[in-house]
């Protein structure tokens, strides 16, 4: 069977407050650059000071766009021989979990802040979390004793699909 064949796919987007925070920072940075350029054009006083250049502010404005492209969603795919987890539409940050390394899976409700200090890719002891929102995940226990929490809006459904794929 083709290892890229996907049996189940779920995409979870970051919550609205994260979008507002990131794009608000983008607009603030772009507004600062535009205001500085306007002031320079009107008054003739140089916009660049000793701490930040126009280029630096421009990069600050581009940072949220990059963050959106890289980290604003979590993709989870149950494939023929492994579980695939990746952040962002471009999947720059990704993990492949072969079923041969998996001891068990189950849908769980957990506390991301208390157990991991928040969302994202987080490590605590022998546990790793790949989450983007909420408190639902699939807890994947590996044969080496470590656990991976994979965020999901439908954790029990995802756990069931993983179990079916592991039996094949």
């Amino acid at each position: 069977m083709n290892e890229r064949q996907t049996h189940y796919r779920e995409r979870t987007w970051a919550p609205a407050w994260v979008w507002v925070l990131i794009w608000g920072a983008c607009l603030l940075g772009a507004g600062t650059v535009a205001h500085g350029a306007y002031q320079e054009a009107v008054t003739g006083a140089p916009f660049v000071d000793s701490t930040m250049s126009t280029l630096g502010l421009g990069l600050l404005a581009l940072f949220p766009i990059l963050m959106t492209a890289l980290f604003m969603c979590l993709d989870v795919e149950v494939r023929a021989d492994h579980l695939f987890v990746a952040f962002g539409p471009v999947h720059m940050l990704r993990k492949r979990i072969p079923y041969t390394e998996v001891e068990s899976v189950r849908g769980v409700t957990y506390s991301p802040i208390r157990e991991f200090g928040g969302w994202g890719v987080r490590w605590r002891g022998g546990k790793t979390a790949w989450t983007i929102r909420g408190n639902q995940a699939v807890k994947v226990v590996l044969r080496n004793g470590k656990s991976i929490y994979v965020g999901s809006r439908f954790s029990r459904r995802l756990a069931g699909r993983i179990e079916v794929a592991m039996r094949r």
Side-chain angles (χ1 to χ4, degrees):
M1 191 178 285
N2 181 359
E3 78 166 36
R4 295 274 306 166
Q5 183 180 2
T6 302
H7 300 289
Y8 177 79
R9 178 179 293 130
E10 180 179 329
R11 174 172 277 179
T12 305
W13 290 94
W17 66 267
V18 174
W19 287 87
V20 169
L21 183 70
I22 288 178
W23 284 97
C26 177
L27 291 174
L28 182 63
T32 303
V33 170
H35 176 72
Y38 172 77
Q39 288 294 97
E40 185 172 342
V42 170
T43 65
F47 170 59
V48 178
D49 66 8
S50 62
T51 58
M52 191 172 294
S53 68
T54 305
L55 177 62
L57 286 173
L59 291 176
L60 177 66
L62 290 176
F63 179 74
I65 296 169
L66 191 61
M67 292 297 292
T68 299
L70 296 177
F71 302 112
M72 291 306 284
C73 67
L74 177 68
D75 287 338
V76 179
E77 296 179 1
V78 177
R79 294 183 178 171
D81 65 345
H82 67 277
L83 179 64
F84 178 79
V85 185
F87 271 100
V90 295
H91 294 169
M92 289 288 289
L93 188 58
R94 61 184 174 260
K95 180 156 187 73
R96 182 181 177 274
I97 306 167
Y99 299 138
T100 56
E101 296 177 12
V102 176
E103 185 172 304
S104 66
V105 296
R106 67 183 171 98
V108 297
T109 300
Y110 75 112
S111 175
I113 294 175
R114 190 179 69 238
E115 293 182 46
F116 294 99
W119 294 268
V121 179
R122 304 290 185 120
W123 297 270
R124 284 289 195 293
K127 302 186 304 184
T128 305
W130 285 69
T131 60
I132 199 161
R133 72 179 310 155
N135 65 349
Q136 299 295 309
V138 171
K139 181 179 180 182
V140 179
V141 179
L142 303 177
R143 297 192 189 282
N144 64 10
K146 295 181 179 182
S147 298
I148 301 171
Y149 288 67
V150 178
S152 173
R153 292 174 296 153
F154 312 104
S155 60
R156 281 152 185 76
R157 179 190 309 164
L158 176 58
R161 300 290 172 91
I162 295 169
E163 288 172 342
V164 167
M166 287 174 58
R167 286 194 293 265
R168 289 185 180 171

